[in-house]
Amino acid sequence: MSSDHDHHHHHDHSELSETELRVRALESILTEKGYVDPAALDAIIQAFETRIGLHHGARVVAKAWTDPTFKEALLEDGSKAIGTLGHVSRVGDHLVVVENTPERHNMVVCTLCSCYPWEMLGLPPVWYKAAPYRSRAVKDPRGVLADFGVTVPKDTEIRVWDSTAETRFLVLPMRPEGTEGWSEAQLAELVTRDSMIGTGFAKTPEAPS
Amino acid sequence: MSAAAAKATAAVPSIPRDDDGPVFRAPWEAQAFAMALTLHERGVFTWTEWAAALAEEIKRAQAAGDPDTGETYYLHWLATLESLVATKGVTSTETLHRYRDAWDHAADRTPHGQPIVLQAEDFAR
């Protein structure tokens, strides 16, 4: 799929890969001719939400929680560290991992083109692509988080990261308390997509859902 | 999995899947899958026709040196969609190219972070 992975390295405008251009062309023609209804198409795709992408994000996070050396390497160079795990064929040229701490909560906003790390996270949530989320997240991150039912302590700084075609971000959420001695596989179960975007926390052992 | 998707995976055995149904490597793959599902439901082609056209496409790609590692499966799927809509008279290859170029233009003029929307001006080139 090499043609799908070529970036033109422009910073100022949107990017679509050759394959994405063809898919969009087909979809707009079929929509104009009344063969498909974009909403119905979206519904089919959403039904496969959990089946798109490789979902390695949770495993990467769990490994970082249990292996300090890996975590250090991950924060140093996300793409390189994930590449050493062997089972990830491609995570983009520059995947930057940002760590949540009691002092700082990180949150990522999307840019609607190919910047979302779906190889790690699967399909982006629909709200993530919406323009209101992006503009509000920059202006009023606490308000957006409140909408998701997420309360970040007042003295915790909130840092918003804007993906670009070259740099994509993955949030390393804080390891939940009460998980001492847990295995990587057990811990991975607690890592949600939203916790890796920064619009949620990892699940806690007491509240498994 | 929906009944339509189950029917498609049953009729087209080559679709990459696990125990719970089809799996996709990227969002565009699911889009291409969903479009075929919708066109089938609209009666544009039968799954038998689809499977034959897809097999033909894969054979052609292999002859041209496609490594056939499974990574390119949905590229063949997309090429099959493009050729079938043309043969069935839904649209033409020229129109597909025109819209592809228009989307390219739309992406070019859309500031980073804004939704990319196709407009009439994108065709005027």
Side-chain angles (χ1 to χ4, degrees), chain A residues 162-191:
Chain A
D162 198 351
S163 320
T164 69
E166 289 85 38
T167 307
R168 304 183 299 164
F169 295 94
L170 182 75
V171 174
L172 175 59
M174 284 195 282
R175 178 169 173 167
E177 285 176 23
T179 56
E180 293 75 20
W182 283 37
S183 71
E184 262 180 59
Q186 284 174 301
L187 286 168
E189 294 289 314
L190 300 176
V191 184

Side-chain angles (χ1 to χ4, degrees), chain A:
Chain A
M1 299 202 296
S2 62
S3 65
D4 203 35
H5 296 156
D6 293 333
H7 286 299
H8 302 277
H9 297 282
H10 292 306
H11 296 267
D12 52 342
H13 61 79
S14 303
E15 290 293 334
L16 292 172
S17 72
E18 179 58 33
T19 309
E20 285 168 332
L21 289 172
R22 284 165 58 195
V23 170
R24 285 198 186 216
L26 200 51
E27 184 179 338
S28 21
I29 294 168
L30 295 177
T31 303
E32 278 173 26
K33 293 193 178 272
Y35 281 93
V36 309
D37 165 11
L41 219 50
D42 270 352
I44 297 175
I45 295 161
Q46 286 298 318
F48 288 105
E49 183 181 4
T50 60
R51 314 188 51 74
I52 299 171
L54 302 171
H55 299 273
H56 287 315
R59 286 155 70 189
V60 169
V61 168
K63 186 165 176 64
W65 282 346
T66 53
D67 180 345
T69 314
F70 177 75
K71 178 175 157 184
E72 201 182 314
L74 187 68
L75 295 174
E76 175 81 19
D77 184 339
S79 301
K80 200 172 146 195
I82 292 165
T84 63
L85 296 183
H87 48 62
V88 183
S89 57
R90 174 189 174 267
V91 292
D93 298 335
H94 300 286
L95 184 74
V96 174
V97 179
V98 288
E99 182 186 17
N100 280 353
T101 63
E103 289 76 39
R104 189 208 270 174
H105 181 88
N106 296 287
M107 184 171 149
V108 185
V109 290
C110 181
T111 56
L112 305 155
C113 43
S114 355
C115 306
Y116 178 85
W118 46 259
E119 301 93 336
M120 301 300 293
L121 300 177
L123 193 65
V126 170
W127 50 258
Y128 196 85
K129 294 195 267 186
Y133 166 71
R134 187 176 176 279
S135 51
R136 265 196 73 209
V138 175
K139 276 185 247 142
D140 177 23
R142 253 171 230 281
V144 169
L145 287 172
D147 286 354
F148 290 111
V150 173
T151 314
V152 174
K154 272 199 187 65
D155 46 358
T156 301
E157 177 206 352
I158 298 182
R159 180 90 191 258
V160 176
W161 301 86
D162 198 351
S163 320
T164 69
E166 289 85 38
T167 307
R168 304 183 299 164
F169 295 94
L170 182 75
V171 174
L172 175 59
M174 284 195 282
R175 178 169 173 167
E177 285 176 23
T179 56
E180 293 75 20
W182 283 37
S183 71
E184 262 180 59
Q186 284 174 301
L187 286 168
E189 294 289 314
L190 300 176
V191 184
T192 61
R193 174 187 66 191
D194 289 2
S195 73
M196 293 183 283
I197 303 174
T199 55
F201 302 119
K203 290 186 276 189
T204 55
E206 296 80 37
S209 60

Side-chain angles (χ1 to χ4, degrees), chain B residues 78-102:
Chain B
L78 178 59
T80 306
L81 266 177
E82 289 169 336
S83 77
L84 264 185
V85 292
T87 359
K88 295 284 180 180
V90 172
T91 186
S92 65
T93 308
E94 293 69 36
T95 310
L96 283 167
H97 285 154
R98 211 156 52 79
Y99 273 72
R100 179 246 168 252
D101 290 348

